[in-house]
PDB file of all heavy atoms in Angstrom:
ATOM      1  N   VAL A 118      -2.803 -34.784 -82.060  1.00 98.00           N
ATOM      2  CA  VAL A 118      -2.989 -34.518 -83.486  1.00 98.00           C
ATOM      3  C   VAL A 118      -4.040 -35.427 -84.068  1.00 98.00           C
ATOM      4  O   VAL A 118      -3.985 -36.651 -83.956  1.00 98.00           O
ATOM      5  CB  VAL A 118      -1.689 -34.641 -84.289  1.00 98.00           C
ATOM      6  CG1 VAL A 118      -1.928 -34.265 -85.827  1.00 98.00           C
ATOM      7  CG2 VAL A 118      -0.571 -33.780 -83.717  1.00 98.00           C
ATOM      8  N   LEU A 119      -5.044 -34.815 -84.738  1.00 98.00           N
ATOM      9  CA  LEU A 119      -6.138 -35.481 -85.308  1.00 98.00           C
ATOM     10  C   LEU A 119      -5.851 -35.758 -86.805  1.00 98.00           C
ATOM     11  O   LEU A 119      -5.303 -34.884 -87.524  1.00 98.00           O
ATOM     12  CB  LEU A 119      -7.365 -34.703 -85.163  1.00 98.00           C
ATOM     13  CG  LEU A 119      -8.722 -35.433 -85.224  1.00 98.00           C
ATOM     14  CD1 LEU A 119      -8.767 -36.684 -84.278  1.00 98.00           C
ATOM     15  CD2 LEU A 119      -9.853 -34.487 -84.838  1.00 98.00           C
ATOM     16  N   HIS A 120      -6.129 -36.998 -87.297  1.00 98.00           N
ATOM     17  CA  HIS A 120      -5.931 -37.357 -88.644  1.00 98.00           C
ATOM     18  C   HIS A 120      -7.180 -38.106 -89.138  1.00 98.00           C
ATOM     19  O   HIS A 120      -8.028 -38.505 -88.418  1.00 98.00           O
ATOM     20  CB  HIS A 120      -4.769 -38.395 -88.829  1.00 98.00           C
ATOM     21  CG  HIS A 120      -3.493 -37.999 -88.191  1.00 98.00           C
ATOM     22  ND1 HIS A 120      -2.457 -37.440 -88.909  1.00 98.00           N
ATOM     23  CD2 HIS A 120      -3.043 -38.057 -86.917  1.00 98.00           C
ATOM     24  CE1 HIS A 120      -1.426 -37.235 -88.077  1.00 98.00           C
ATOM     25  NE2 HIS A 120      -1.672 -37.579 -86.820  1.00 98.00           N
ATOM     26  N   PHE A 121      -7.288 -38.260 -90.483  1.00 98.00           N
ATOM     27  CA  PHE A 121      -8.166 -39.313 -91.026  1.00 98.00           C
ATOM     28  C   PHE A 121      -7.344 -40.204 -91.882  1.00 98.00           C
ATOM     29  O   PHE A 121      -6.296 -39.875 -92.373  1.00 98.00           O
ATOM     30  CB  PHE A 121      -9.369 -38.783 -91.776  1.00 98.00           C
ATOM     31  CG  PHE A 121      -9.102 -37.901 -92.996  1.00 98.00           C
ATOM     32  CD1 PHE A 121      -8.762 -38.426 -94.127  1.00 98.00           C
ATOM     33  CD2 PHE A 121      -9.207 -36.498 -92.871  1.00 98.00           C
ATOM     34  CE1 PHE A 121      -8.551 -37.689 -95.268  1.00 98.00           C
ATOM     35  CE2 PHE A 121      -8.956 -35.697 -93.960  1.00 98.00           C
ATOM     36  CZ  PHE A 121      -8.659 -36.342 -95.206  1.00 98.00           C
ATOM     37  N   THR A 122      -7.850 -41.460 -92.019  1.00 98.00           N
ATOM     38  CA  THR A 122      -6.987 -42.502 -92.565  1.00 98.00           C
ATOM     39  C   THR A 122      -6.955 -42.462 -94.107  1.00 98.00           C
ATOM     40  O   THR A 122      -6.009 -43.070 -94.688  1.00 98.00           O
ATOM     41  CB  THR A 122      -7.579 -43.939 -92.240  1.00 98.00           C
ATOM     42  OG1 THR A 122      -8.942 -44.024 -92.720  1.00 98.00           O
ATOM     43  CG2 THR A 122      -7.556 -44.120 -90.720  1.00 98.00           C
ATOM     44  N   HIS A 171       3.520 -40.169 -86.666  1.00 98.00           N
ATOM     45  CA  HIS A 171       2.351 -39.832 -87.379  1.00 98.00           C
ATOM     46  C   HIS A 171       2.326 -38.379 -87.941  1.00 98.00           C
ATOM     47  O   HIS A 171       1.577 -38.093 -88.845  1.00 98.00           O
ATOM     48  CB  HIS A 171       1.095 -40.006 -86.530  1.00 98.00           C
ATOM     49  CG  HIS A 171       1.109 -39.307 -85.247  1.00 98.00           C
ATOM     50  ND1 HIS A 171       0.554 -38.053 -85.086  1.00 98.00           N
ATOM     51  CD2 HIS A 171       1.579 -39.623 -84.001  1.00 98.00           C
ATOM     52  CE1 HIS A 171       0.704 -37.636 -83.816  1.00 98.00           C
ATOM     53  NE2 HIS A 171       1.408 -38.577 -83.169  1.00 98.00           N
ATOM     54  N   THR A 172       3.180 -37.460 -87.316  1.00 98.00           N
ATOM     55  CA  THR A 172       3.147 -36.066 -87.708  1.00 98.00           C
ATOM     56  C   THR A 172       4.578 -35.571 -87.718  1.00 98.00           C
ATOM     57  O   THR A 172       5.173 -35.373 -86.661  1.00 98.00           O
ATOM     58  CB  THR A 172       2.285 -35.227 -86.815  1.00 98.00           C
ATOM     59  OG1 THR A 172       0.949 -35.771 -86.679  1.00 98.00           O
ATOM     60  CG2 THR A 172       2.172 -33.779 -87.309  1.00 98.00           C
ATOM     61  N   ILE A 182      -4.312 -39.538 -83.296  1.00 98.00           N
ATOM     62  CA  ILE A 182      -5.664 -40.210 -83.405  1.00 98.00           C
ATOM     63  C   ILE A 182      -6.066 -40.200 -84.867  1.00 98.00           C
ATOM     64  O   ILE A 182      -6.107 -39.118 -85.493  1.00 98.00           O
ATOM     65  CB  ILE A 182      -6.709 -39.454 -82.510  1.00 98.00           C
ATOM     66  CG1 ILE A 182      -6.342 -39.390 -81.093  1.00 98.00           C
ATOM     67  CG2 ILE A 182      -8.072 -40.039 -82.715  1.00 98.00           C
ATOM     68  CD1 ILE A 182      -7.259 -38.602 -80.201  1.00 98.00           C
ATOM     69  N   GLU A 183      -6.343 -41.352 -85.380  1.00 98.00           N
ATOM     70  CA  GLU A 183      -6.802 -41.469 -86.805  1.00 98.00           C
ATOM     71  C   GLU A 183      -8.261 -41.862 -86.826  1.00 98.00           C
ATOM     72  O   GLU A 183      -8.661 -42.851 -86.298  1.00 98.00           O
ATOM     73  CB  GLU A 183      -5.971 -42.590 -87.528  1.00 98.00           C
ATOM     74  CG  GLU A 183      -4.501 -42.299 -87.699  1.00 98.00           C
ATOM     75  CD  GLU A 183      -4.172 -41.654 -89.078  1.00 98.00           C
ATOM     76  OE1 GLU A 183      -5.124 -41.443 -89.876  1.00 98.00           O
ATOM     77  OE2 GLU A 183      -3.019 -41.387 -89.256  1.00 98.00           O
ATOM     78  N   GLY A 222      -5.281 -30.306 -85.840  1.00 97.00           N
ATOM     79  CA  GLY A 222      -5.366 -31.208 -86.982  1.00 97.00           C
ATOM     80  C   GLY A 222      -3.999 -31.338 -87.614  1.00 97.00           C
ATOM     81  O   GLY A 222      -3.104 -30.450 -87.462  1.00 97.00           O
ATOM     82  N   HIS A 223      -3.765 -32.386 -88.310  1.00 97.00           N
ATOM     83  CA  HIS A 223      -2.467 -32.665 -88.956  1.00 97.00           C
ATOM     84  C   HIS A 223      -2.081 -31.460 -89.828  1.00 97.00           C
ATOM     85  O   HIS A 223      -0.947 -30.992 -89.870  1.00 97.00           O
ATOM     86  CB  HIS A 223      -2.545 -33.879 -89.817  1.00 97.00           C
ATOM     87  CG  HIS A 223      -1.190 -34.399 -90.281  1.00 97.00           C
ATOM     88  ND1 HIS A 223      -1.008 -35.659 -90.846  1.00 97.00           N
ATOM     89  CD2 HIS A 223       0.002 -33.786 -90.374  1.00 97.00           C
ATOM     90  CE1 HIS A 223       0.232 -35.784 -91.168  1.00 97.00           C
ATOM     91  NE2 HIS A 223       0.889 -34.653 -90.925  1.00 97.00           N
ATOM     92  N   ASN A 224      -3.104 -30.912 -90.527  1.00 96.00           N
ATOM     93  CA  ASN A 224      -2.825 -29.723 -91.395  1.00 96.00           C
ATOM     94  C   ASN A 224      -2.384 -28.450 -90.616  1.00 96.00           C
ATOM     95  O   ASN A 224      -1.854 -27.534 -91.209  1.00 96.00           O
ATOM     96  CB  ASN A 224      -4.072 -29.430 -92.220  1.00 96.00           C
ATOM     97  CG  ASN A 224      -3.773 -28.444 -93.370  1.00 96.00           C
ATOM     98  OD1 ASN A 224      -4.405 -27.425 -93.482  1.00 96.00           O
ATOM     99  ND2 ASN A 224      -2.783 -28.753 -94.212  1.00 96.00           N
ATOM    100  N   THR A 243       3.832 -31.176 -94.288  1.00 95.00           N
ATOM    101  CA  THR A 243       2.622 -31.501 -93.564  1.00 95.00           C
ATOM    102  C   THR A 243       1.596 -32.168 -94.429  1.00 95.00           C
ATOM    103  O   THR A 243       1.945 -32.439 -95.620  1.00 95.00           O
ATOM    104  CB  THR A 243       1.954 -30.167 -92.921  1.00 95.00           C
ATOM    105  OG1 THR A 243       0.912 -30.570 -92.006  1.00 95.00           O
ATOM    106  CG2 THR A 243       1.337 -29.218 -93.981  1.00 95.00           C
ATOM    107  N   HIS A 244       0.465 -32.528 -93.962  1.00 96.00           N
ATOM    108  CA  HIS A 244      -0.581 -33.191 -94.741  1.00 96.00           C
ATOM    109  C   HIS A 244      -1.886 -32.347 -94.749  1.00 96.00           C
ATOM    110  O   HIS A 244      -1.942 -31.401 -93.977  1.00 96.00           O
ATOM    111  CB  HIS A 244      -0.894 -34.619 -94.175  1.00 96.00           C
ATOM    112  CG  HIS A 244       0.099 -35.578 -94.513  1.00 96.00           C
ATOM    113  ND1 HIS A 244      -0.025 -36.932 -94.162  1.00 96.00           N
ATOM    114  CD2 HIS A 244       1.299 -35.525 -95.234  1.00 96.00           C
ATOM    115  CE1 HIS A 244       0.998 -37.613 -94.634  1.00 96.00           C
ATOM    116  NE2 HIS A 244       1.847 -36.731 -95.228  1.00 96.00           N
ATOM    117  N   SER A 245      -2.828 -32.718 -95.591  1.00 95.00           N
ATOM    118  CA  SER A 245      -4.061 -31.855 -95.718  1.00 95.00           C
ATOM    119  C   SER A 245      -5.171 -32.307 -94.736  1.00 95.00           C
ATOM    120  O   SER A 245      -6.236 -31.632 -94.678  1.00 95.00           O
ATOM    121  CB  SER A 245      -4.517 -31.908 -97.146  1.00 95.00           C
ATOM    122  OG  SER A 245      -4.931 -33.302 -97.477  1.00 95.00           O
ATOM    123  N   ASP A 246      -4.922 -33.402 -94.035  1.00 96.00           N
ATOM    124  CA  ASP A 246      -6.044 -33.922 -93.134  1.00 96.00           C
ATOM    125  C   ASP A 246      -6.227 -33.001 -91.923  1.00 96.00           C
ATOM    126  O   ASP A 246      -5.288 -32.560 -91.306  1.00 96.00           O
ATOM    127  CB  ASP A 246      -5.848 -35.320 -92.751  1.00 96.00           C
ATOM    128  CG  ASP A 246      -4.480 -35.728 -92.146  1.00 96.00           C
ATOM    129  OD1 ASP A 246      -3.508 -35.081 -92.567  1.00 96.00           O
ATOM    130  OD2 ASP A 246      -4.401 -36.662 -91.366  1.00 96.00           O
ATOM    131  N   TRP A 247      -7.476 -32.656 -91.672  1.00 97.00           N
ATOM    132  CA  TRP A 247      -8.005 -31.884 -90.574  1.00 97.00           C
ATOM    133  C   TRP A 247      -7.414 -30.376 -90.641  1.00 97.00           C
ATOM    134  O   TRP A 247      -6.429 -30.111 -89.917  1.00 97.00           O
ATOM    135  CB  TRP A 247      -7.791 -32.478 -89.206  1.00 97.00           C
ATOM    136  CG  TRP A 247      -8.674 -33.585 -88.925  1.00 97.00           C
ATOM    137  CD1 TRP A 247      -8.392 -34.928 -88.958  1.00 97.00           C
ATOM    138  CD2 TRP A 247     -10.120 -33.487 -88.622  1.00 97.00           C
ATOM    139  NE1 TRP A 247      -9.563 -35.649 -88.679  1.00 97.00           N
ATOM    140  CE2 TRP A 247     -10.662 -34.837 -88.515  1.00 97.00           C
ATOM    141  CE3 TRP A 247     -11.007 -32.398 -88.466  1.00 97.00           C
ATOM    142  CZ2 TRP A 247     -11.939 -35.112 -88.180  1.00 97.00           C
ATOM    143  CZ3 TRP A 247     -12.291 -32.740 -88.125  1.00 97.00           C
ATOM    144  CH2 TRP A 247     -12.803 -34.047 -88.006  1.00 97.00           C
TER     145      TRP A 247
HETATM  146 ZN1  LIG B 301      -2.370 -37.152 -90.961  1.00 79.22          ZN
END
Side-chain angles (χ1 to χ4, degrees):
V118 181
L119 202 51
H120 307 260
F121 61 78
T122 60
H171 57 92
T172 306
I182 300 176
E183 293 266 0
H223 192 165
N224 191 237
T243 189
H244 282 182
S245 61
D246 48 332
W247 286 105

